[in-house]
Amino acid sequence: MQDKDPITLDQPIQRGQTQIAALRISKPSAGQLRGTKLVDLLQMDVGALITLLPRITLPPLTEQEVQSMDPADLTECGIAVASFLGKKERQPNEADTASPAA
């Protein structure tokens, strides 16, 4: 399974004595997408992200922890999820997005 680079949280999640300051998002399988609509994930629908993120985050978050996330952190997670949903050939690579040499 393909993972994104860790997302450093602006507002770390407090879990008992442990503070979660960064998350790794794994590419979801079709089974992990169960109960969500792909269009909702592409639109970064909060309800769809609350359903999916506990299934694909490391360390695994609870649904309640996702509900309590800072909106900026949830947005970063949503961007990571949306990037997994396109075919590789349709995703820009570094050569496509690099600015031309001066």
Side-chain angles (χ1 to χ4, degrees), residues 28-72:
S29 66
Q32 290 170 312
L33 293 169
R34 163 183 37 75
T36 63
K37 294 179 183 174
L38 294 178
V39 70
D40 289 345
L41 291 170
L42 287 169
Q43 293 177 342
M44 293 193 288
D45 177 79
V46 172
L49 290 171
I50 288 170
T51 298
L52 181 62
L53 288 174
R55 301 175 188 175
I56 63 170
T57 52
L58 290 174
L61 297 180
T62 66
E63 191 173 301
Q64 184 176 7
E65 288 169 334
V66 176
Q67 290 177 5
S68 299
M69 287 179 82
D70 181 90

Side-chain angles (χ1 to χ4, degrees), residues 92-102:
N93 61 35
E94 290 180 28
D96 296 334
T97 57
S99 57

